[in-house]
PDB file of all heavy atoms in Angstrom:
ATOM      1  N   GLU A   1      18.883   6.674  -6.837  1.00 93.00           N
ATOM      2  CA  GLU A   1      20.339   6.693  -6.982  1.00 93.00           C
ATOM      3  C   GLU A   1      21.055   6.692  -5.635  1.00 93.00           C
ATOM      4  O   GLU A   1      22.214   6.290  -5.534  1.00 93.00           O
ATOM      5  CB  GLU A   1      20.817   7.866  -7.845  1.00 93.00           C
ATOM      6  CG  GLU A   1      20.410   9.219  -7.349  1.00 93.00           C
ATOM      7  CD  GLU A   1      19.127   9.750  -7.980  1.00 93.00           C
ATOM      8  OE1 GLU A   1      18.341   8.978  -8.548  1.00 93.00           O
ATOM      9  OE2 GLU A   1      18.895  10.963  -7.869  1.00 93.00           O
ATOM     10  N   ASP A   2      20.364   7.113  -4.577  1.00 94.00           N
ATOM     11  CA  ASP A   2      20.941   7.067  -3.234  1.00 94.00           C
ATOM     12  C   ASP A   2      20.661   5.737  -2.546  1.00 94.00           C
ATOM     13  O   ASP A   2      21.567   5.113  -1.996  1.00 94.00           O
ATOM     14  CB  ASP A   2      20.384   8.206  -2.368  1.00 94.00           C
ATOM     15  CG  ASP A   2      20.738   9.570  -2.904  1.00 94.00           C
ATOM     16  OD1 ASP A   2      21.843   9.732  -3.462  1.00 94.00           O
ATOM     17  OD2 ASP A   2      19.910  10.495  -2.765  1.00 94.00           O
ATOM     18  N   VAL A   3      19.405   5.282  -2.574  1.00 95.00           N
ATOM     19  CA  VAL A   3      19.042   4.096  -1.788  1.00 95.00           C
ATOM     20  C   VAL A   3      19.664   2.807  -2.312  1.00 95.00           C
ATOM     21  O   VAL A   3      19.816   1.868  -1.541  1.00 95.00           O
ATOM     22  CB  VAL A   3      17.512   3.947  -1.616  1.00 95.00           C
ATOM     23  CG1 VAL A   3      16.923   5.154  -0.931  1.00 95.00           C
ATOM     24  CG2 VAL A   3      16.823   3.665  -2.910  1.00 95.00           C
ATOM     25  N   VAL A   4      20.045   2.752  -3.582  1.00 95.00           N
ATOM     26  CA  VAL A   4      20.691   1.525  -4.069  1.00 95.00           C
ATOM     27  C   VAL A   4      22.062   1.335  -3.437  1.00 95.00           C
ATOM     28  O   VAL A   4      22.601   0.232  -3.459  1.00 95.00           O
ATOM     29  CB  VAL A   4      20.814   1.485  -5.613  1.00 95.00           C
ATOM     30  CG1 VAL A   4      19.455   1.429  -6.264  1.00 95.00           C
ATOM     31  CG2 VAL A   4      21.634   2.618  -6.143  1.00 95.00           C
ATOM     32  N   LYS A   5      22.615   2.372  -2.846  1.00 96.00           N
ATOM     33  CA  LYS A   5      23.926   2.310  -2.195  1.00 96.00           C
ATOM     34  C   LYS A   5      23.818   2.237  -0.672  1.00 96.00           C
ATOM     35  O   LYS A   5      24.836   2.205   0.013  1.00 96.00           O
ATOM     36  CB  LYS A   5      24.739   3.556  -2.548  1.00 96.00           C
ATOM     37  CG  LYS A   5      24.938   3.783  -4.017  1.00 96.00           C
ATOM     38  CD  LYS A   5      25.584   5.129  -4.247  1.00 96.00           C
ATOM     39  CE  LYS A   5      25.410   5.579  -5.681  1.00 96.00           C
ATOM     40  NZ  LYS A   5      25.725   6.987  -5.856  1.00 96.00           N
ATOM     41  N   GLN A   6      22.593   2.231  -0.135  1.00 96.00           N
ATOM     42  CA  GLN A   6      22.403   2.333   1.316  1.00 96.00           C
ATOM     43  C   GLN A   6      21.723   1.096   1.891  1.00 96.00           C
ATOM     44  O   GLN A   6      20.935   0.437   1.214  1.00 96.00           O
ATOM     45  CB  GLN A   6      21.539   3.558   1.642  1.00 96.00           C
ATOM     46  CG  GLN A   6      22.149   4.871   1.232  1.00 96.00           C
ATOM     47  CD  GLN A   6      21.193   6.029   1.434  1.00 96.00           C
ATOM     48  OE1 GLN A   6      19.985   5.905   1.250  1.00 96.00           O
ATOM     49  NE2 GLN A   6      21.738   7.172   1.818  1.00 96.00           N
ATOM     50  N   SER A   7      21.998   0.858   3.171  1.00 96.00           N
ATOM     51  CA  SER A   7      21.263  -0.163   3.911  1.00 96.00           C
ATOM     52  C   SER A   7      19.907   0.425   4.325  1.00 96.00           C
ATOM     53  O   SER A   7      19.704   1.647   4.248  1.00 96.00           O
ATOM     54  CB  SER A   7      22.041  -0.575   5.157  1.00 96.00           C
ATOM     55  OG  SER A   7      22.067   0.501   6.084  1.00 96.00           O
ATOM     56  N   ALA A   8      19.013  -0.424   4.786  1.00 97.00           N
ATOM     57  CA  ALA A   8      17.707   0.044   5.262  1.00 97.00           C
ATOM     58  C   ALA A   8      17.887   1.049   6.408  1.00 97.00           C
ATOM     59  O   ALA A   8      17.184   2.056   6.477  1.00 97.00           O
ATOM     60  CB  ALA A   8      16.839  -1.134   5.694  1.00 97.00           C
ATOM     61  N   ASP A   9      18.844   0.790   7.305  1.00 97.00           N
ATOM     62  CA  ASP A   9      19.088   1.707   8.423  1.00 97.00           C
ATOM     63  C   ASP A   9      19.557   3.076   7.936  1.00 97.00           C
ATOM     64  O   ASP A   9      19.161   4.108   8.477  1.00 97.00           O
ATOM     65  CB  ASP A   9      20.113   1.127   9.396  1.00 97.00           C
ATOM     66  CG  ASP A   9      19.559  -0.041  10.195  1.00 97.00           C
ATOM     67  OD1 ASP A   9      18.322  -0.126  10.356  1.00 97.00           O
ATOM     68  OD2 ASP A   9      20.365  -0.857  10.661  1.00 97.00           O
ATOM     69  N   GLU A  10      20.383   3.096   6.909  1.00 97.00           N
ATOM     70  CA  GLU A  10      20.841   4.373   6.357  1.00 97.00           C
ATOM     71  C   GLU A  10      19.691   5.135   5.707  1.00 97.00           C
ATOM     72  O   GLU A  10      19.583   6.355   5.858  1.00 97.00           O
ATOM     73  CB  GLU A  10      21.962   4.142   5.342  1.00 97.00           C
ATOM     74  CG  GLU A  10      23.251   3.669   5.965  1.00 97.00           C
ATOM     75  CD  GLU A  10      24.273   3.230   4.945  1.00 97.00           C
ATOM     76  OE1 GLU A  10      23.923   2.540   3.969  1.00 97.00           O
ATOM     77  OE2 GLU A  10      25.457   3.574   5.139  1.00 97.00           O
ATOM     78  N   VAL A  11      18.825   4.419   5.014  1.00 97.00           N
ATOM     79  CA  VAL A  11      17.660   5.056   4.394  1.00 97.00           C
ATOM     80  C   VAL A  11      16.779   5.685   5.469  1.00 97.00           C
ATOM     81  O   VAL A  11      16.272   6.800   5.300  1.00 97.00           O
ATOM     82  CB  VAL A  11      16.859   4.050   3.541  1.00 97.00           C
ATOM     83  CG1 VAL A  11      15.560   4.659   3.043  1.00 97.00           C
ATOM     84  CG2 VAL A  11      17.698   3.541   2.375  1.00 97.00           C
ATOM     85  N   LEU A  12      16.592   4.994   6.590  1.00 98.00           N
ATOM     86  CA  LEU A  12      15.745   5.518   7.667  1.00 98.00           C
ATOM     87  C   LEU A  12      16.299   6.805   8.284  1.00 98.00           C
ATOM     88  O   LEU A  12      15.551   7.570   8.887  1.00 98.00           O
ATOM     89  CB  LEU A  12      15.552   4.459   8.755  1.00 98.00           C
ATOM     90  CG  LEU A  12      14.679   3.277   8.358  1.00 98.00           C
ATOM     91  CD1 LEU A  12      14.697   2.218   9.457  1.00 98.00           C
ATOM     92  CD2 LEU A  12      13.260   3.722   8.043  1.00 98.00           C
ATOM     93  N   ARG A  13      17.577   7.069   8.113  1.00 98.00           N
ATOM     94  CA  ARG A  13      18.168   8.313   8.641  1.00 98.00           C
ATOM     95  C   ARG A  13      17.988   9.499   7.693  1.00 98.00           C
ATOM     96  O   ARG A  13      18.213  10.643   8.073  1.00 98.00           O
ATOM     97  CB  ARG A  13      19.645   8.104   8.941  1.00 98.00           C
ATOM     98  CG  ARG A  13      19.877   7.217  10.162  1.00 98.00           C
ATOM     99  CD  ARG A  13      21.309   7.262  10.642  1.00 98.00           C
ATOM    100  NE  ARG A  13      22.250   6.647   9.729  1.00 98.00           N
ATOM    101  CZ  ARG A  13      22.631   5.376   9.771  1.00 98.00           C
ATOM    102  NH1 ARG A  13      22.150   4.570  10.689  1.00 98.00           N
ATOM    103  NH2 ARG A  13      23.505   4.899   8.900  1.00 98.00           N
ATOM    104  N   ALA A  14      17.561   9.243   6.452  1.00 97.00           N
ATOM    105  CA  ALA A  14      17.364  10.324   5.479  1.00 97.00           C
ATOM    106  C   ALA A  14      16.252  11.255   5.958  1.00 97.00           C
ATOM    107  O   ALA A  14      15.251  10.816   6.541  1.00 97.00           O
ATOM    108  CB  ALA A  14      16.997   9.737   4.121  1.00 97.00           C
ATOM    109  N   LEU A  15      16.433  12.538   5.707  1.00 98.00           N
ATOM    110  CA  LEU A  15      15.437  13.521   6.117  1.00 98.00           C
ATOM    111  C   LEU A  15      14.338  13.656   5.076  1.00 98.00           C
ATOM    112  O   LEU A  15      14.596  13.740   3.877  1.00 98.00           O
ATOM    113  CB  LEU A  15      16.089  14.878   6.353  1.00 98.00           C
ATOM    114  CG  LEU A  15      17.037  14.968   7.543  1.00 98.00           C
ATOM    115  CD1 LEU A  15      17.643  16.363   7.633  1.00 98.00           C
ATOM    116  CD2 LEU A  15      16.336  14.601   8.842  1.00 98.00           C
ATOM    117  N   VAL A  16      13.103  13.660   5.567  1.00 98.00           N
ATOM    118  CA  VAL A  16      11.914  13.950   4.772  1.00 98.00           C
ATOM    119  C   VAL A  16      11.206  15.108   5.463  1.00 98.00           C
ATOM    120  O   VAL A  16      11.631  15.543   6.533  1.00 98.00           O
ATOM    121  CB  VAL A  16      10.990  12.713   4.649  1.00 98.00           C
ATOM    122  CG1 VAL A  16      11.698  11.582   3.911  1.00 98.00           C
ATOM    123  CG2 VAL A  16      10.502  12.228   5.996  1.00 98.00           C
ATOM    124  N   ARG A  17      10.146  15.621   4.873  1.00 97.00           N
ATOM    125  CA  ARG A  17       9.410  16.717   5.504  1.00 97.00           C
ATOM    126  C   ARG A  17       8.033  16.236   5.923  1.00 97.00           C
ATOM    127  O   ARG A  17       7.306  15.659   5.121  1.00 97.00           O
ATOM    128  CB  ARG A  17       9.295  17.894   4.557  1.00 97.00           C
ATOM    129  CG  ARG A  17      10.654  18.496   4.242  1.00 97.00           C
ATOM    130  CD  ARG A  17      10.572  19.857   3.632  1.00 97.00           C
ATOM    131  NE  ARG A  17      10.033  20.880   4.486  1.00 97.00           N
ATOM    132  CZ  ARG A  17      10.684  21.496   5.467  1.00 97.00           C
ATOM    133  NH1 ARG A  17      11.926  21.148   5.734  1.00 97.00           N
ATOM    134  NH2 ARG A  17      10.126  22.431   6.171  1.00 97.00           N
ATOM    135  N   GLN A  18       7.696  16.479   7.166  1.00 97.00           N
ATOM    136  CA  GLN A  18       6.334  16.245   7.645  1.00 97.00           C
ATOM    137  C   GLN A  18       5.773  17.622   7.965  1.00 97.00           C
ATOM    138  O   GLN A  18       6.219  18.277   8.916  1.00 97.00           O
ATOM    139  CB  GLN A  18       6.294  15.346   8.871  1.00 97.00           C
ATOM    140  CG  GLN A  18       4.856  15.049   9.297  1.00 97.00           C
ATOM    141  CD  GLN A  18       4.767  14.127  10.488  1.00 97.00           C
ATOM    142  OE1 GLN A  18       5.648  14.106  11.331  1.00 97.00           O
ATOM    143  NE2 GLN A  18       3.695  13.367  10.554  1.00 97.00           N
ATOM    144  N   GLY A  19       4.850  18.072   7.144  1.00 94.00           N
ATOM    145  CA  GLY A  19       4.387  19.448   7.262  1.00 94.00           C
ATOM    146  C   GLY A  19       5.536  20.378   6.930  1.00 94.00           C
ATOM    147  O   GLY A  19       6.152  20.266   5.886  1.00 94.00           O
ATOM    148  N   ASN A  20       5.870  21.257   7.864  1.00 95.00           N
ATOM    149  CA  ASN A  20       6.959  22.204   7.601  1.00 95.00           C
ATOM    150  C   ASN A  20       8.240  21.865   8.355  1.00 95.00           C
ATOM    151  O   ASN A  20       9.130  22.695   8.451  1.00 95.00           O
ATOM    152  CB  ASN A  20       6.508  23.631   7.931  1.00 95.00           C
ATOM    153  CG  ASN A  20       6.160  23.806   9.395  1.00 95.00           C
ATOM    154  OD1 ASN A  20       6.220  22.865  10.170  1.00 95.00           O
ATOM    155  ND2 ASN A  20       5.773  25.008   9.769  1.00 95.00           N
ATOM    156  N   ARG A  21       8.332  20.648   8.893  1.00 97.00           N
ATOM    157  CA  ARG A  21       9.541  20.307   9.651  1.00 97.00           C
ATOM    158  C   ARG A  21      10.241  19.077   9.074  1.00 97.00           C
ATOM    159  O   ARG A  21       9.593  18.110   8.661  1.00 97.00           O
ATOM    160  CB  ARG A  21       9.216  20.088  11.123  1.00 97.00           C
ATOM    161  CG  ARG A  21       8.416  18.860  11.412  1.00 97.00           C
ATOM    162  CD  ARG A  21       8.066  18.720  12.915  1.00 97.00           C
ATOM    163  NE  ARG A  21       7.394  17.466  13.116  1.00 97.00           N
ATOM    164  CZ  ARG A  21       7.958  16.398  13.653  1.00 97.00           C
ATOM    165  NH1 ARG A  21       9.200  16.434  14.079  1.00 97.00           N
ATOM    166  NH2 ARG A  21       7.273  15.286  13.809  1.00 97.00           N
ATOM    167  N   PRO A  22      11.571  19.138   9.032  1.00 98.00           N
ATOM    168  CA  PRO A  22      12.319  17.963   8.582  1.00 98.00           C
ATOM    169  C   PRO A  22      12.378  16.915   9.691  1.00 98.00           C
ATOM    170  O   PRO A  22      12.565  17.259  10.864  1.00 98.00           O
ATOM    171  CB  PRO A  22      13.708  18.514   8.277  1.00 98.00           C
ATOM    172  CG  PRO A  22      13.818  19.770   9.051  1.00 98.00           C
ATOM    173  CD  PRO A  22      12.423  20.289   9.267  1.00 98.00           C
ATOM    174  N   VAL A  23      12.175  15.665   9.322  1.00 97.00           N
ATOM    175  CA  VAL A  23      12.252  14.550  10.272  1.00 97.00           C
ATOM    176  C   VAL A  23      12.954  13.383   9.583  1.00 97.00           C
ATOM    177  O   VAL A  23      12.858  13.228   8.370  1.00 97.00           O
ATOM    178  CB  VAL A  23      10.860  14.094  10.780  1.00 97.00           C
ATOM    179  CG1 VAL A  23      10.150  15.188  11.536  1.00 97.00           C
ATOM    180  CG2 VAL A  23       9.995  13.595   9.650  1.00 97.00           C
ATOM    181  N   PRO A  24      13.642  12.544  10.346  1.00 98.00           N
ATOM    182  CA  PRO A  24      14.207  11.329   9.743  1.00 98.00           C
ATOM    183  C   PRO A  24      13.071  10.411   9.279  1.00 98.00           C
ATOM    184  O   PRO A  24      12.037  10.300   9.949  1.00 98.00           O
ATOM    185  CB  PRO A  24      14.984  10.685  10.880  1.00 98.00           C
ATOM    186  CG  PRO A  24      15.150  11.735  11.913  1.00 98.00           C
ATOM    187  CD  PRO A  24      14.008  12.679  11.751  1.00 98.00           C
ATOM    188  N   LEU A  25      13.248   9.781   8.155  1.00 98.00           N
ATOM    189  CA  LEU A  25      12.249   8.860   7.628  1.00 98.00           C
ATOM    190  C   LEU A  25      11.850   7.834   8.681  1.00 98.00           C
ATOM    191  O   LEU A  25      10.685   7.451   8.793  1.00 98.00           O
ATOM    192  CB  LEU A  25      12.805   8.162   6.378  1.00 98.00           C
ATOM    193  CG  LEU A  25      11.867   7.214   5.651  1.00 98.00           C
ATOM    194  CD1 LEU A  25      10.790   7.990   4.917  1.00 98.00           C
ATOM    195  CD2 LEU A  25      12.634   6.330   4.699  1.00 98.00           C
ATOM    196  N   GLY A  26      12.808   7.404   9.504  1.00 97.00           N
ATOM    197  CA  GLY A  26      12.575   6.386  10.523  1.00 97.00           C
ATOM    198  C   GLY A  26      11.614   6.793  11.629  1.00 97.00           C
ATOM    199  O   GLY A  26      11.146   5.943  12.368  1.00 97.00           O
ATOM    200  N   GLU A  27      11.299   8.079  11.760  1.00 97.00           N
ATOM    201  CA  GLU A  27      10.276   8.491  12.731  1.00 97.00           C
ATOM    202  C   GLU A  27       8.882   8.082  12.287  1.00 97.00           C
ATOM    203  O   GLU A  27       7.984   7.940  13.105  1.00 97.00           O
ATOM    204  CB  GLU A  27      10.288  10.014  12.926  1.00 97.00           C
ATOM    205  CG  GLU A  27      11.265  10.500  13.938  1.00 97.00           C
ATOM    206  CD  GLU A  27      11.053  11.969  14.289  1.00 97.00           C
ATOM    207  OE1 GLU A  27       9.914  12.482  14.180  1.00 97.00           O
ATOM    208  OE2 GLU A  27      12.045  12.602  14.658  1.00 97.00           O
ATOM    209  N   LEU A  28       8.708   7.895  10.992  1.00 97.00           N
ATOM    210  CA  LEU A  28       7.377   7.655  10.429  1.00 97.00           C
ATOM    211  C   LEU A  28       7.236   6.301   9.750  1.00 97.00           C
ATOM    212  O   LEU A  28       6.127   5.791   9.609  1.00 97.00           O
ATOM    213  CB  LEU A  28       7.063   8.749   9.401  1.00 97.00           C
ATOM    214  CG  LEU A  28       7.248  10.185   9.900  1.00 97.00           C
ATOM    215  CD1 LEU A  28       7.255  11.150   8.738  1.00 97.00           C
ATOM    216  CD2 LEU A  28       6.164  10.521  10.901  1.00 97.00           C
ATOM    217  N   PHE A  29       8.362   5.731   9.327  1.00 98.00           N
ATOM    218  CA  PHE A  29       8.350   4.509   8.524  1.00 98.00           C
ATOM    219  C   PHE A  29       9.298   3.472   9.103  1.00 98.00           C
ATOM    220  O   PHE A  29      10.259   3.812   9.779  1.00 98.00           O
ATOM    221  CB  PHE A  29       8.812   4.811   7.088  1.00 98.00           C
ATOM    222  CG  PHE A  29       7.896   5.704   6.305  1.00 98.00           C
ATOM    223  CD1 PHE A  29       7.990   7.083   6.421  1.00 98.00           C
ATOM    224  CD2 PHE A  29       6.961   5.175   5.434  1.00 98.00           C
ATOM    225  CE1 PHE A  29       7.160   7.921   5.681  1.00 98.00           C
ATOM    226  CE2 PHE A  29       6.131   6.006   4.689  1.00 98.00           C
ATOM    227  CZ  PHE A  29       6.234   7.373   4.821  1.00 98.00           C
ATOM    228  N   ASP A  30       9.032   2.202   8.783  1.00 98.00           N
ATOM    229  CA  ASP A  30       9.968   1.103   8.989  1.00 98.00           C
ATOM    230  C   ASP A  30      10.543   0.763   7.619  1.00 98.00           C
ATOM    231  O   ASP A  30       9.900   1.013   6.591  1.00 98.00           O
ATOM    232  CB  ASP A  30       9.260  -0.137   9.544  1.00 98.00           C
ATOM    233  CG  ASP A  30       8.767   0.057  10.963  1.00 98.00           C
ATOM    234  OD1 ASP A  30       9.478   0.703  11.759  1.00 98.00           O
ATOM    235  OD2 ASP A  30       7.656  -0.435  11.276  1.00 98.00           O
ATOM    236  N   ALA A  31      11.711   0.200   7.587  1.00 98.00           N
ATOM    237  CA  ALA A  31      12.312  -0.213   6.318  1.00 98.00           C
ATOM    238  C   ALA A  31      13.026  -1.542   6.497  1.00 98.00           C
ATOM    239  O   ALA A  31      13.582  -1.826   7.558  1.00 98.00           O
ATOM    240  CB  ALA A  31      13.283   0.846   5.810  1.00 98.00           C
ATOM    241  N   SER A  32      13.012  -2.338   5.434  1.00 97.00           N
ATOM    242  CA  SER A  32      13.733  -3.615   5.421  1.00 97.00           C
ATOM    243  C   SER A  32      14.165  -3.910   3.991  1.00 97.00           C
ATOM    244  O   SER A  32      13.641  -3.333   3.044  1.00 97.00           O
ATOM    245  CB  SER A  32      12.845  -4.739   5.961  1.00 97.00           C
ATOM    246  OG  SER A  32      11.705  -4.902   5.141  1.00 97.00           O
ATOM    247  N   GLY A  33      15.104  -4.802   3.867  1.00 97.00           N
ATOM    248  CA  GLY A  33      15.583  -5.188   2.556  1.00 97.00           C
ATOM    249  C   GLY A  33      16.561  -4.176   1.985  1.00 97.00           C
ATOM    250  O   GLY A  33      17.097  -3.326   2.702  1.00 97.00           O
ATOM    251  N   SER A  34      16.770  -4.262   0.686  1.00 96.00           N
ATOM    252  CA  SER A  34      17.726  -3.400   0.012  1.00 96.00           C
ATOM    253  C   SER A  34      17.346  -3.274  -1.458  1.00 96.00           C
ATOM    254  O   SER A  34      16.888  -4.244  -2.072  1.00 96.00           O
ATOM    255  CB  SER A  34      19.129  -3.990   0.124  1.00 96.00           C
ATOM    256  OG  SER A  34      20.030  -3.312  -0.706  1.00 96.00           O
ATOM    257  N   ALA A  35      17.571  -2.104  -2.019  1.00 96.00           N
ATOM    258  CA  ALA A  35      17.321  -1.888  -3.449  1.00 96.00           C
ATOM    259  C   ALA A  35      18.569  -2.160  -4.278  1.00 96.00           C
ATOM    260  O   ALA A  35      18.557  -1.989  -5.489  1.00 96.00           O
ATOM    261  CB  ALA A  35      16.832  -0.463  -3.672  1.00 96.00           C
ATOM    262  N   ALA A  36      19.645  -2.603  -3.639  1.00 94.00           N
ATOM    263  CA  ALA A  36      20.930  -2.760  -4.321  1.00 94.00           C
ATOM    264  C   ALA A  36      20.875  -3.744  -5.494  1.00 94.00           C
ATOM    265  O   ALA A  36      21.465  -3.490  -6.534  1.00 94.00           O
ATOM    266  CB  ALA A  36      22.004  -3.199  -3.330  1.00 94.00           C
ATOM    267  N   GLN A  37      20.173  -4.857  -5.349  1.00 94.00           N
ATOM    268  CA  GLN A  37      20.178  -5.872  -6.400  1.00 94.00           C
ATOM    269  C   GLN A  37      19.165  -5.613  -7.506  1.00 94.00           C
ATOM    270  O   GLN A  37      19.462  -5.812  -8.677  1.00 94.00           O
ATOM    271  CB  GLN A  37      19.928  -7.251  -5.804  1.00 94.00           C
ATOM    272  CG  GLN A  37      21.099  -7.748  -5.007  1.00 94.00           C
ATOM    273  CD  GLN A  37      20.861  -9.159  -4.495  1.00 94.00           C
ATOM    274  OE1 GLN A  37      19.741  -9.631  -4.419  1.00 94.00           O
ATOM    275  NE2 GLN A  37      21.941  -9.831  -4.135  1.00 94.00           N
ATOM    276  N   ASP A  38      17.961  -5.172  -7.149  1.00 95.00           N
ATOM    277  CA  ASP A  38      16.917  -5.053  -8.174  1.00 95.00           C
ATOM    278  C   ASP A  38      16.416  -3.630  -8.401  1.00 95.00           C
ATOM    279  O   ASP A  38      15.489  -3.419  -9.185  1.00 95.00           O
ATOM    280  CB  ASP A  38      15.738  -5.971  -7.852  1.00 95.00           C
ATOM    281  CG  ASP A  38      15.084  -5.659  -6.523  1.00 95.00           C
ATOM    282  OD1 ASP A  38      15.451  -4.663  -5.881  1.00 95.00           O
ATOM    283  OD2 ASP A  38      14.175  -6.412  -6.128  1.00 95.00           O
ATOM    284  N   ALA A  39      16.997  -2.635  -7.723  1.00 96.00           N
ATOM    285  CA  ALA A  39      16.610  -1.230  -7.890  1.00 96.00           C
ATOM    286  C   ALA A  39      15.100  -1.044  -7.783  1.00 96.00           C
ATOM    287  O   ALA A  39      14.469  -0.389  -8.598  1.00 96.00           O
ATOM    288  CB  ALA A  39      17.142  -0.668  -9.197  1.00 96.00           C
ATOM    289  N   THR A  40      14.527  -1.656  -6.726  1.00 97.00           N
ATOM    290  CA  THR A  40      13.088  -1.570  -6.495  1.00 97.00           C
ATOM    291  C   THR A  40      12.824  -1.070  -5.082  1.00 97.00           C
ATOM    292  O   THR A  40      13.425  -1.555  -4.125  1.00 97.00           O
ATOM    293  CB  THR A  40      12.403  -2.938  -6.680  1.00 97.00           C
ATOM    294  OG1 THR A  40      12.632  -3.377  -8.021  1.00 97.00           O
ATOM    295  CG2 THR A  40      10.913  -2.864  -6.430  1.00 97.00           C
ATOM    296  N   ILE A  41      11.912  -0.109  -4.982  1.00 97.00           N
ATOM    297  CA  ILE A  41      11.435   0.374  -3.684  1.00 97.00           C
ATOM    298  C   ILE A  41       9.948   0.073  -3.617  1.00 97.00           C
ATOM    299  O   ILE A  41       9.197   0.430  -4.526  1.00 97.00           O
ATOM    300  CB  ILE A  41      11.652   1.887  -3.500  1.00 97.00           C
ATOM    301  CG1 ILE A  41      13.125   2.257  -3.644  1.00 97.00           C
ATOM    302  CG2 ILE A  41      11.105   2.345  -2.142  1.00 97.00           C
ATOM    303  CD1 ILE A  41      13.378   3.763  -3.668  1.00 97.00           C
ATOM    304  N   VAL A  42       9.519  -0.575  -2.540  1.00 97.00           N
ATOM    305  CA  VAL A  42       8.110  -0.868  -2.316  1.00 97.00           C
ATOM    306  C   VAL A  42       7.642  -0.006  -1.145  1.00 97.00           C
ATOM    307  O   VAL A  42       8.210  -0.086  -0.051  1.00 97.00           O
ATOM    308  CB  VAL A  42       7.875  -2.365  -1.999  1.00 97.00           C
ATOM    309  CG1 VAL A  42       6.407  -2.629  -1.708  1.00 97.00           C
ATOM    310  CG2 VAL A  42       8.376  -3.241  -3.134  1.00 97.00           C
ATOM    311  N   TRP A  43       6.641   0.835  -1.381  1.00 97.00           N
ATOM    312  CA  TRP A  43       6.024   1.650  -0.327  1.00 97.00           C
ATOM    313  C   TRP A  43       4.753   0.938   0.102  1.00 97.00           C
ATOM    314  O   TRP A  43       3.903   0.628  -0.731  1.00 97.00           O
ATOM    315  CB  TRP A  43       5.689   3.040  -0.857  1.00 97.00           C
ATOM    316  CG  TRP A  43       6.890   3.859  -1.189  1.00 97.00           C
ATOM    317  CD1 TRP A  43       7.592   3.862  -2.359  1.00 97.00           C
ATOM    318  CD2 TRP A  43       7.544   4.793  -0.325  1.00 97.00           C
ATOM    319  NE1 TRP A  43       8.638   4.744  -2.280  1.00 97.00           N
ATOM    320  CE2 TRP A  43       8.636   5.335  -1.042  1.00 97.00           C
ATOM    321  CE3 TRP A  43       7.322   5.234   0.982  1.00 97.00           C
ATOM    322  CZ2 TRP A  43       9.491   6.285  -0.509  1.00 97.00           C
ATOM    323  CZ3 TRP A  43       8.165   6.175   1.512  1.00 97.00           C
ATOM    324  CH2 TRP A  43       9.240   6.695   0.784  1.00 97.00           C
ATOM    325  N   GLN A  44       4.613   0.672   1.407  1.00 96.00           N
ATOM    326  CA  GLN A  44       3.447  -0.063   1.912  1.00 96.00           C
ATOM    327  C   GLN A  44       2.667   0.794   2.896  1.00 96.00           C
ATOM    328  O   GLN A  44       3.234   1.600   3.628  1.00 96.00           O
ATOM    329  CB  GLN A  44       3.874  -1.340   2.617  1.00 96.00           C
ATOM    330  CG  GLN A  44       4.450  -2.380   1.708  1.00 96.00           C
ATOM    331  CD  GLN A  44       4.819  -3.644   2.451  1.00 96.00           C
ATOM    332  OE1 GLN A  44       5.017  -3.661   3.658  1.00 96.00           O
ATOM    333  NE2 GLN A  44       4.927  -4.749   1.713  1.00 96.00           N
ATOM    334  N   GLY A  45       1.359   0.554   2.910  1.00 94.00           N
ATOM    335  CA  GLY A  45       0.489   1.228   3.863  1.00 94.00           C
ATOM    336  C   GLY A  45      -0.333   2.317   3.191  1.00 94.00           C
ATOM    337  O   GLY A  45      -0.293   2.496   1.974  1.00 94.00           O
ATOM    338  N   ASP A  46      -1.078   3.032   3.994  1.00 93.00           N
ATOM    339  CA  ASP A  46      -1.908   4.129   3.485  1.00 93.00           C
ATOM    340  C   ASP A  46      -1.028   5.349   3.289  1.00 93.00           C
ATOM    341  O   ASP A  46      -0.848   6.150   4.193  1.00 93.00           O
ATOM    342  CB  ASP A  46      -3.050   4.434   4.453  1.00 93.00           C
ATOM    343  CG  ASP A  46      -3.938   5.561   3.961  1.00 93.00           C
ATOM    344  OD1 ASP A  46      -3.727   6.058   2.830  1.00 93.00           O
ATOM    345  OD2 ASP A  46      -4.850   5.958   4.705  1.00 93.00           O
TER     346      ASP A  46
END
């Protein structure tokens, strides 16, 4: 419900947790495209 309204750059600024510390998603992941049209998120990698 959040990412369908956001650009890839905005998504990368969202906070996630790595262990016990909050970090921006962009520290760990790259993002491209948008979920706005098809409401689909593809997670790639291990």
Side-chain angles (χ1 to χ4, degrees):
E1 58 265 18
D2 297 325
V3 301
V4 295
K5 303 172 198 166
Q6 298 174 324
S7 68
D9 289 336
E10 290 171 317
V11 173
L12 290 173
R13 289 193 292 268
L15 292 178
V16 297
R17 295 196 65 78
Q18 184 178 29
N20 62 358
R21 69 182 185 104
V23 298
L25 183 72
E27 274 191 27
L28 308 166
F29 294 84
D30 291 322
S32 62
S34 170
Q37 289 184 340
D38 60 6
T40 300
I41 302 172
V42 177
W43 293 86
Q44 292 182 339
D46 180 4

